[in-house]
Amino acid sequence: MDIALFSPSSLFHDDEDDTSSGEEDTESQQSYVERSHKFPGMELVIREFSFHQLNANLLWPGTFAFAEWLVEHRPSIEGRHCLELGSGTGALAIFLRRLLNLDITTSDYNDQEIEENIAHNCRVNGITPVLPHIKHTWGDTFPTADPDWDLIIASDILLYVKQYANLIKTLLFLLKSYKPKDNNARPQAKDEQSGGQSVSLPRPAFLMSWRRRIGKEDESLFFSGCEDAGLEVKHLGSRVYCIKPRETTTNGDQIEII
């Protein structure tokens, strides 16, 4: 299977619960739709492609669910140096910059239209200068030789099953080649979940929300691929996953980085 199957009806709320409303951009109505989307504590105006071959055109439901989870666990991400993979419209990154003043860089496929649209959405929502952006196709050489992002995030990026190996290759580089932005060791971020359990995010870590409906067999290919590549996968609840590298001892055994 080249592309994971999902139900189009699952991509949008019912009219009663719809989090967005919008009309076509009069200046470019053949190419874009501009909508107002409700995020926790704010409303963002996001220009979306009417169609994009790389599915960078819409905000998927997982974006809103992930935003809510991040707000609930904000002590875990405040002060982090963050990179978002598969940014699409840039809405989640814009939200996090406005809410938390998060130091965040967007990234997506090496496509000029995506970069320009994210910049447009930044400006419309009062983010100037616009967020830094990296054009990167998963699996290719990463443009930054010494990645210093201690938190990588993504939402609903597991659509293309054939790209799992390339995505894992990019994650391995970002996580295992990580070099801290400064020499000062910062404390592990923790917060309390309902139920009294704490969330501890190592540096570096990949934090991912996955809400799209695909077959469990396809979904497991990504997580098992991560584990086979020497990464550890932990479900934090609410379909949010933390992926981090394992440390290798001198005798070749792998131990968990905590």
Side-chain angles (χ1 to χ4, degrees):
M1 179 183 294
D2 292 354
I3 183 168
L5 299 178
F6 61 94
S7 170
S9 63
S10 70
L11 301 179
F12 305 100
H13 301 283
D14 293 333
D15 291 340
E16 296 179 345
D17 301 319
D18 196 2
T19 60
S20 66
S21 61
E23 57 187 31
E24 290 186 351
D25 183 340
T26 56
E27 294 183 359
S28 55
Q29 60 183 4
Q30 299 302 319
S31 302
Y32 299 102
V33 175
E34 201 162 78
R35 295 188 175 96
S36 178
H37 292 276
K38 294 179 181 178
F39 282 79
M42 73 180 68
E43 192 169 283
L44 299 179
V45 176
I46 300 297
R47 189 177 74 174
E48 305 167 51
F49 295 106
S50 297
F51 170 80
H52 196 281
Q53 61 178 346
L54 302 171
N55 281 298
N57 53 319
L58 294 172
L59 270 73
W60 304 105
T63 300
F64 302 101
F66 196 26
E68 291 176 359
W69 191 94
L70 292 169
V71 170
E72 291 172 0
H73 302 84
R74 59 189 294 169
S76 294
I77 64 170
E78 287 180 317
R80 303 293 288 254
H81 184 44
C82 185
L83 171 71
E84 183 187 19
L85 297 180
S87 297
T89 63
L92 181 61
I94 292 168
F95 166 71
L96 292 173
R97 170 59 68 87
R98 285 192 51 179
L99 181 72
L100 304 177
N101 195 29
L102 189 68
D103 177 7
I104 187 166
T105 296
T106 60
S107 72
D108 212 305
Y109 186 82
N110 189 353
D111 181 89
Q112 189 63 29
E113 283 187 326
I114 295 176
E115 180 178 14
E116 291 174 353
N117 194 48
I118 291 175
H120 170 87
N121 287 329
C122 285
R123 290 188 290 266
V124 167
N125 290 283
I127 304 296
T128 54
V130 302
L131 297 176
H133 180 80
I134 292 178
K135 291 187 285 188
H136 169 65
T137 300
W138 298 339
D140 289 354
T141 301
F142 202 81
T144 301
D146 298 316
D148 59 4
W149 297 282
D150 57 31
L151 181 63
I152 304 155
I153 65 171
S155 175
D156 283 351
I157 62 170
L158 299 185
L159 178 61
Y160 295 101
V161 178
K162 273 194 171 181
Q163 288 299 316
Y164 287 2
N166 288 329
L167 173 56
I168 292 170
K169 182 178 178 181
T170 289
L171 286 175
L172 280 172
F173 171 76
L174 291 171
L175 293 172
K176 294 195 172 184
S177 301
Y178 164 71
K179 292 181 173 57
K181 196 173 182 180
D182 53 56
N183 294 324
N184 298 323
R186 288 175 287 184
Q188 199 89 304
K190 292 185 179 181
D191 73 304
E192 296 297 320
Q193 286 186 0
S194 57
Q197 295 185 355
S198 64
V199 170
S200 180
L201 298 180
R203 302 177 188 269
F206 175 51
L207 195 62
M208 182 190 77
S209 172
W210 175 243
R211 294 275 173 155
R212 300 277 280 280
R213 296 178 182 178
I214 65 172
K216 289 185 178 180
E217 182 178 344
D218 288 336
E219 182 180 299
S220 67
L221 289 175
F222 172 72
F223 297 119
S224 61
C226 286
E227 292 173 344
D228 290 343
L231 300 174
E232 180 190 349
V233 179
K234 182 178 182 181
H235 182 217
L236 301 181
S238 300
R239 303 284 288 171
V240 174
Y241 300 84
C242 178
I243 297 176
K244 58 186 178 181
R246 288 195 182 97
E247 188 176 90
T248 303
T249 63
T250 54
N251 62 5
D253 296 331
Q254 291 187 328
I255 60 174
E256 177 185 348
I257 300 175
I258 58 174

